[in-house]
Amino acid sequence: MKIEAIPNFATGLYAFIAKKSPCIRDIHQEVAKEVCVKISSGKVLDLGTGPGYLPFEIAKRAPGLEIVGIDLSSGMVDIARKKANELGLSNRVTFKTANATSLPFGDGSFDLVVSTLSMHHWHDPKACFKEIHRVLKNNGEANIFDLRRDTTKEVNAEFRKKYGWFLSFLLLKFVRAHSSMTLRRAEEILSSIQATFSKKSVQGTGVVLRLQLVK
């Protein structure tokens, strides 16, 4: 059985590791840049937001965006809310404890849905994507990113060159052992989605998988 939420006693450690990890920081920054290229105003939903690092990166770059982050862990949401207040972003960045299979938002509430390093935890991906489809506006887009388990030797070598042997060893051997998925599994999830999206695609770039869906 998948553990979908990080236990509250471990949230502080996770937040610290995520903050200090150059790889995770780079992923959040790249995703934030992409989001701000796509839209400059409107509402963004971040699924599995954790300590809120991605919403903060987006908010810093796009003053016209309102970002909502959800997470199953109330401890994570508490950390994210506290940080939002510290950064003076609580008027544009809010957080809720919620499950992606039953989102507490009305139909067509968001212009864009994002998620980073969370999909491998989803117990019922089909239900999650059904909810993503429901809360997206017409022509709205979802971009779901996760770590890829089946990378090539060339990709692994490039990763080690960029981040050094120790951090690469931790991510490629230990983190990916329980927090990643294969390209084939991502394709299976994409093909199983019953909600009607006008566009569905999956790409593997480096150590990251990306599912892109347009309503």
mmCIF file of all heavy atoms in Angstrom, residues 18-50:
data_model
loop_
_atom_site.group_PDB
_atom_site.id
_atom_site.type_symbol
_atom_site.label_atom_id
_atom_site.label_comp_id
_atom_site.label_asym_id
_atom_site.label_seq_id
_atom_site.Cartn_x
_atom_site.Cartn_y
_atom_site.Cartn_z
ATOM 1 N N ALA A 18 14.622 19.122 1.435
ATOM 2 C CA ALA A 18 14.184 19.692 0.160
ATOM 3 C C ALA A 18 14.766 21.091 -0.058
ATOM 4 O O ALA A 18 15.116 21.464 -1.180
ATOM 5 C CB ALA A 18 12.657 19.746 0.111
ATOM 6 N N LYS A 19 14.880 21.852 1.022
ATOM 7 C CA LYS A 19 15.425 23.204 0.923
ATOM 8 C C LYS A 19 16.906 23.186 0.592
ATOM 9 O O LYS A 19 17.399 24.037 -0.157
ATOM 10 C CB LYS A 19 15.203 23.955 2.240
ATOM 11 C CG LYS A 19 15.691 25.390 2.230
ATOM 12 C CD LYS A 19 15.393 26.088 3.546
ATOM 13 C CE LYS A 19 15.859 27.533 3.523
ATOM 14 N NZ LYS A 19 15.568 28.222 4.801
ATOM 15 N N LYS A 20 17.622 22.206 1.131
ATOM 16 C CA LYS A 20 19.070 22.149 0.957
ATOM 17 C C LYS A 20 19.500 21.384 -0.296
ATOM 18 O O LYS A 20 20.669 21.448 -0.673
ATOM 19 C CB LYS A 20 19.712 21.498 2.183
ATOM 20 C CG LYS A 20 19.532 22.282 3.474
ATOM 21 C CD LYS A 20 20.189 23.650 3.396
ATOM 22 C CE LYS A 20 20.065 24.415 4.711
ATOM 23 N NZ LYS A 20 20.700 25.751 4.636
ATOM 24 N N SER A 21 18.597 20.663 -0.928
ATOM 25 C CA SER A 21 18.949 19.850 -2.090
ATOM 26 C C SER A 21 19.035 20.703 -3.353
ATOM 27 O O SER A 21 18.032 21.265 -3.796
ATOM 28 C CB SER A 21 17.908 18.755 -2.300
ATOM 29 O OG SER A 21 18.110 18.112 -3.542
ATOM 30 N N PRO A 22 20.215 20.806 -3.958
ATOM 31 C CA PRO A 22 20.341 21.599 -5.190
ATOM 32 C C PRO A 22 19.470 21.048 -6.316
ATOM 33 O O PRO A 22 18.922 21.819 -7.103
ATOM 34 C CB PRO A 22 21.833 21.466 -5.540
ATOM 35 C CG PRO A 22 22.499 21.089 -4.270
ATOM 36 C CD PRO A 22 21.512 20.256 -3.523
ATOM 37 N N CYS A 23 19.328 19.738 -6.385
ATOM 38 C CA CYS A 23 18.539 19.124 -7.450
ATOM 39 C C CYS A 23 17.066 19.506 -7.320
ATOM 40 O O CYS A 23 16.441 19.943 -8.291
ATOM 41 C CB CYS A 23 18.693 17.607 -7.409
ATOM 42 S SG CYS A 23 17.626 16.745 -8.582
ATOM 43 N N ILE A 24 16.493 19.353 -6.132
ATOM 44 C CA ILE A 24 15.090 19.695 -5.929
ATOM 45 C C ILE A 24 14.868 21.190 -6.143
ATOM 46 O O ILE A 24 13.880 21.608 -6.747
ATOM 47 C CB ILE A 24 14.628 19.266 -4.523
ATOM 48 C CG1 ILE A 24 14.665 17.734 -4.408
ATOM 49 C CG2 ILE A 24 13.226 19.794 -4.231
ATOM 50 C CD1 ILE A 24 14.315 17.214 -3.044
ATOM 51 N N ARG A 25 15.802 21.997 -5.661
ATOM 52 C CA ARG A 25 15.701 23.440 -5.851
ATOM 53 C C ARG A 25 15.701 23.791 -7.343
ATOM 54 O O ARG A 25 14.912 24.632 -7.795
ATOM 55 C CB ARG A 25 16.844 24.145 -5.137
ATOM 56 C CG ARG A 25 16.746 25.673 -5.206
ATOM 57 C CD ARG A 25 17.756 26.320 -4.282
ATOM 58 N NE ARG A 25 19.133 25.993 -4.634
ATOM 59 C CZ ARG A 25 19.944 25.266 -3.866
ATOM 60 N NH1 ARG A 25 19.517 24.782 -2.725
ATOM 61 N NH2 ARG A 25 21.189 25.027 -4.254
ATOM 62 N N ASP A 26 16.566 23.144 -8.107
ATOM 63 C CA ASP A 26 16.626 23.404 -9.544
ATOM 64 C C ASP A 26 15.320 22.998 -10.238
ATOM 65 O O ASP A 26 14.852 23.691 -11.144
ATOM 66 C CB ASP A 26 17.797 22.649 -10.174
ATOM 67 C CG ASP A 26 19.144 23.277 -9.827
ATOM 68 O OD1 ASP A 26 19.159 24.371 -9.244
ATOM 69 O OD2 ASP A 26 20.181 22.648 -10.141
ATOM 70 N N ILE A 27 14.753 21.864 -9.836
ATOM 71 C CA ILE A 27 13.487 21.422 -10.427
ATOM 72 C C ILE A 27 12.396 22.446 -10.162
ATOM 73 O O ILE A 27 11.654 22.845 -11.069
ATOM 74 C CB ILE A 27 13.089 20.043 -9.870
ATOM 75 C CG1 ILE A 27 14.050 18.968 -10.396
ATOM 76 C CG2 ILE A 27 11.644 19.698 -10.264
ATOM 77 C CD1 ILE A 27 13.840 17.601 -9.766
ATOM 78 N N HIS A 28 12.299 22.910 -8.923
ATOM 79 C CA HIS A 28 11.273 23.911 -8.586
ATOM 80 C C HIS A 28 11.473 25.197 -9.381
ATOM 81 O O HIS A 28 10.504 25.803 -9.861
ATOM 82 C CB HIS A 28 11.321 24.213 -7.086
ATOM 83 C CG HIS A 28 10.758 23.113 -6.242
ATOM 84 N ND1 HIS A 28 11.130 22.912 -4.935
ATOM 85 C CD2 HIS A 28 9.843 22.145 -6.517
ATOM 86 C CE1 HIS A 28 10.474 21.874 -4.448
ATOM 87 N NE2 HIS A 28 9.699 21.393 -5.387
ATOM 88 N N GLN A 29 12.707 25.627 -9.526
ATOM 89 C CA GLN A 29 12.971 26.863 -10.252
ATOM 90 C C GLN A 29 12.642 26.726 -11.732
ATOM 91 O O GLN A 29 12.072 27.641 -12.337
ATOM 92 C CB GLN A 29 14.426 27.274 -10.056
ATOM 93 C CG GLN A 29 14.736 27.753 -8.646
ATOM 94 C CD GLN A 29 16.195 28.133 -8.450
ATOM 95 O OE1 GLN A 29 17.041 27.897 -9.319
ATOM 96 N NE2 GLN A 29 16.505 28.714 -7.304
ATOM 97 N N GLU A 30 12.972 25.581 -12.326
ATOM 98 C CA GLU A 30 12.672 25.367 -13.738
ATOM 99 C C GLU A 30 11.175 25.293 -13.982
ATOM 100 O O GLU A 30 10.661 25.851 -14.955
ATOM 101 C CB GLU A 30 13.358 24.078 -14.229
ATOM 102 C CG GLU A 30 14.855 24.195 -14.394
ATOM 103 C CD GLU A 30 15.250 25.296 -15.364
ATOM 104 O OE1 GLU A 30 14.620 25.389 -16.451
ATOM 105 O OE2 GLU A 30 16.151 26.079 -15.041
ATOM 106 N N VAL A 31 10.457 24.602 -13.092
ATOM 107 C CA VAL A 31 9.007 24.507 -13.234
ATOM 108 C C VAL A 31 8.371 25.887 -13.053
ATOM 109 O O VAL A 31 7.457 26.266 -13.793
ATOM 110 C CB VAL A 31 8.412 23.506 -12.233
ATOM 111 C CG1 VAL A 31 6.882 23.543 -12.265
ATOM 112 C CG2 VAL A 31 8.907 22.095 -12.537
ATOM 113 N N ALA A 32 8.854 26.653 -12.074
ATOM 114 C CA ALA A 32 8.326 27.996 -11.846
ATOM 115 C C ALA A 32 8.531 28.877 -13.082
ATOM 116 O O ALA A 32 7.629 29.642 -13.469
ATOM 117 C CB ALA A 32 8.996 28.623 -10.626
ATOM 118 N N LYS A 33 9.688 28.776 -13.708
ATOM 119 C CA LYS A 33 9.947 29.545 -14.922
ATOM 120 C C LYS A 33 8.963 29.174 -16.023
ATOM 121 O O LYS A 33 8.438 30.042 -16.728
ATOM 122 C CB LYS A 33 11.380 29.301 -15.396
ATOM 123 C CG LYS A 33 12.458 29.916 -14.522
ATOM 124 C CD LYS A 33 13.840 29.543 -15.041
ATOM 125 C CE LYS A 33 14.931 30.055 -14.128
ATOM 126 N NZ LYS A 33 16.287 29.625 -14.586
ATOM 127 N N GLU A 34 8.722 27.871 -16.181
ATOM 128 C CA GLU A 34 7.780 27.412 -17.202
ATOM 129 C C GLU A 34 6.380 27.946 -16.942
ATOM 130 O O GLU A 34 5.679 28.373 -17.861
ATOM 131 C CB GLU A 34 7.744 25.888 -17.249
ATOM 132 C CG GLU A 34 8.908 25.253 -17.980
ATOM 133 C CD GLU A 34 8.614 23.811 -18.348
ATOM 134 O OE1 GLU A 34 7.431 23.474 -18.579
ATOM 135 O OE2 GLU A 34 9.556 23.022 -18.393
ATOM 136 N N VAL A 35 5.959 27.875 -15.694
ATOM 137 C CA VAL A 35 4.625 28.353 -15.326
ATOM 138 C C VAL A 35 4.472 29.820 -15.699
ATOM 139 O O VAL A 35 3.465 30.234 -16.280
ATOM 140 C CB VAL A 35 4.363 28.158 -13.819
ATOM 141 C CG1 VAL A 35 3.119 28.929 -13.382
ATOM 142 C CG2 VAL A 35 4.210 26.678 -13.489
ATOM 143 N N CYS A 36 5.477 30.618 -15.389
ATOM 144 C CA CYS A 36 5.394 32.064 -15.610
ATOM 145 C C CYS A 36 5.490 32.422 -17.087
ATOM 146 O O CYS A 36 5.046 33.506 -17.486
ATOM 147 C CB CYS A 36 6.477 32.776 -14.807
ATOM 148 S SG CYS A 36 6.254 32.586 -13.027
ATOM 149 N N VAL A 37 6.039 31.531 -17.896
ATOM 150 C CA VAL A 37 6.028 31.738 -19.347
ATOM 151 C C VAL A 37 4.634 31.466 -19.893
ATOM 152 O O VAL A 37 4.164 32.157 -20.803
ATOM 153 C CB VAL A 37 7.062 30.825 -20.036
ATOM 154 C CG1 VAL A 37 6.848 30.801 -21.551
ATOM 155 C CG2 VAL A 37 8.477 31.299 -19.723
ATOM 156 N N LYS A 38 3.960 30.471 -19.326
ATOM 157 C CA LYS A 38 2.638 30.080 -19.807
ATOM 158 C C LYS A 38 1.575 31.102 -19.426
ATOM 159 O O LYS A 38 0.722 31.455 -20.243
ATOM 160 C CB LYS A 38 2.254 28.702 -19.249
ATOM 161 C CG LYS A 38 3.084 27.550 -19.794
ATOM 162 C CD LYS A 38 2.670 26.232 -19.168
ATOM 163 C CE LYS A 38 3.549 25.101 -19.629
ATOM 164 N NZ LYS A 38 3.413 24.848 -21.079
ATOM 165 N N ILE A 39 1.556 31.544 -18.172
ATOM 166 C CA ILE A 39 0.540 32.498 -17.722
ATOM 167 C C ILE A 39 1.165 33.532 -16.784
ATOM 168 O O ILE A 39 2.086 33.216 -16.028
ATOM 169 C CB ILE A 39 -0.639 31.807 -17.015
ATOM 170 C CG1 ILE A 39 -0.164 30.990 -15.808
ATOM 171 C CG2 ILE A 39 -1.424 30.932 -17.971
ATOM 172 C CD1 ILE A 39 -1.311 30.434 -14.981
ATOM 173 N N SER A 40 0.637 34.730 -16.824
ATOM 174 C CA SER A 40 1.124 35.794 -15.939
ATOM 175 C C SER A 40 0.054 36.270 -14.963
ATOM 176 O O SER A 40 0.338 37.042 -14.056
ATOM 177 C CB SER A 40 1.627 36.984 -16.772
ATOM 178 O OG SER A 40 0.592 37.484 -17.601
ATOM 179 N N SER A 41 -1.195 35.808 -15.181
ATOM 180 C CA SER A 41 -2.275 36.146 -14.265
ATOM 181 C C SER A 41 -3.235 34.968 -14.205
ATOM 182 O O SER A 41 -3.290 34.139 -15.116
ATOM 183 C CB SER A 41 -3.015 37.412 -14.720
ATOM 184 O OG SER A 41 -3.613 37.206 -15.987
ATOM 185 N N GLY A 42 -4.005 34.901 -13.117
ATOM 186 C CA GLY A 42 -4.937 33.796 -12.962
ATOM 187 C C GLY A 42 -4.602 32.978 -11.724
ATOM 188 O O GLY A 42 -3.905 33.439 -10.816
ATOM 189 N N LYS A 43 -5.095 31.722 -11.703
ATOM 190 C CA LYS A 43 -4.942 30.866 -10.531
ATOM 191 C C LYS A 43 -4.228 29.568 -10.886
ATOM 192 O O LYS A 43 -4.520 28.937 -11.909
ATOM 193 C CB LYS A 43 -6.306 30.547 -9.916
ATOM 194 C CG LYS A 43 -7.007 31.741 -9.294
ATOM 195 C CD LYS A 43 -8.298 31.327 -8.616
ATOM 196 C CE LYS A 43 -8.041 30.473 -7.386
ATOM 197 N NZ LYS A 43 -9.286 30.166 -6.633
ATOM 198 N N VAL A 44 -3.291 29.189 -10.013
ATOM 199 C CA VAL A 44 -2.502 27.974 -10.192
ATOM 200 C C VAL A 44 -2.727 27.069 -8.983
ATOM 201 O O VAL A 44 -2.737 27.544 -7.841
ATOM 202 C CB VAL A 44 -0.997 28.301 -10.326
ATOM 203 C CG1 VAL A 44 -0.171 27.010 -10.430
ATOM 204 C CG2 VAL A 44 -0.739 29.189 -11.523
ATOM 205 N N LEU A 45 -2.876 25.774 -9.236
ATOM 206 C CA LEU A 45 -3.008 24.786 -8.163
ATOM 207 C C LEU A 45 -1.793 23.884 -8.165
ATOM 208 O O LEU A 45 -1.415 23.334 -9.202
ATOM 209 C CB LEU A 45 -4.273 23.947 -8.373
ATOM 210 C CG LEU A 45 -4.483 22.772 -7.401
ATOM 211 C CD1 LEU A 45 -4.647 23.267 -5.966
ATOM 212 C CD2 LEU A 45 -5.689 21.942 -7.825
ATOM 213 N N ASP A 46 -1.167 23.732 -6.992
ATOM 214 C CA ASP A 46 -0.013 22.852 -6.838
ATOM 215 C C ASP A 46 -0.421 21.640 -6.000
ATOM 216 O O ASP A 46 -0.760 21.779 -4.823
ATOM 217 C CB ASP A 46 1.142 23.600 -6.159
ATOM 218 C CG ASP A 46 2.374 22.727 -5.970
ATOM 219 O OD1 ASP A 46 2.584 21.813 -6.784
ATOM 220 O OD2 ASP A 46 3.128 22.969 -5.007
ATOM 221 N N LEU A 47 -0.376 20.452 -6.597
ATOM 222 C CA LEU A 47 -0.766 19.225 -5.918
ATOM 223 C C LEU A 47 0.432 18.595 -5.224
ATOM 224 O O LEU A 47 1.488 18.437 -5.838
ATOM 225 C CB LEU A 47 -1.345 18.221 -6.922
ATOM 226 C CG LEU A 47 -2.546 18.681 -7.752
ATOM 227 C CD1 LEU A 47 -2.955 17.576 -8.718
ATOM 228 C CD2 LEU A 47 -3.710 19.052 -6.853
ATOM 229 N N GLY A 48 0.271 18.213 -3.954
ATOM 230 C CA GLY A 48 1.389 17.647 -3.204
ATOM 231 C C GLY A 48 2.447 18.700 -2.966
ATOM 232 O O GLY A 48 3.630 18.478 -3.191
ATOM 233 N N THR A 49 2.022 19.835 -2.471
ATOM 234 C CA THR A 49 2.896 21.015 -2.397
ATOM 235 C C THR A 49 4.023 20.889 -1.384
ATOM 236 O O THR A 49 5.007 21.618 -1.455
ATOM 237 C CB THR A 49 2.050 22.271 -2.086
ATOM 238 O OG1 THR A 49 2.807 23.446 -2.311
ATOM 239 C CG2 THR A 49 1.548 22.255 -0.639
ATOM 240 N N GLY A 50 3.887 19.963 -0.411
ATOM 241 C CA GLY A 50 4.927 19.837 0.614
ATOM 242 C C GLY A 50 5.079 21.129 1.392
ATOM 243 O O GLY A 50 4.089 21.757 1.784
#
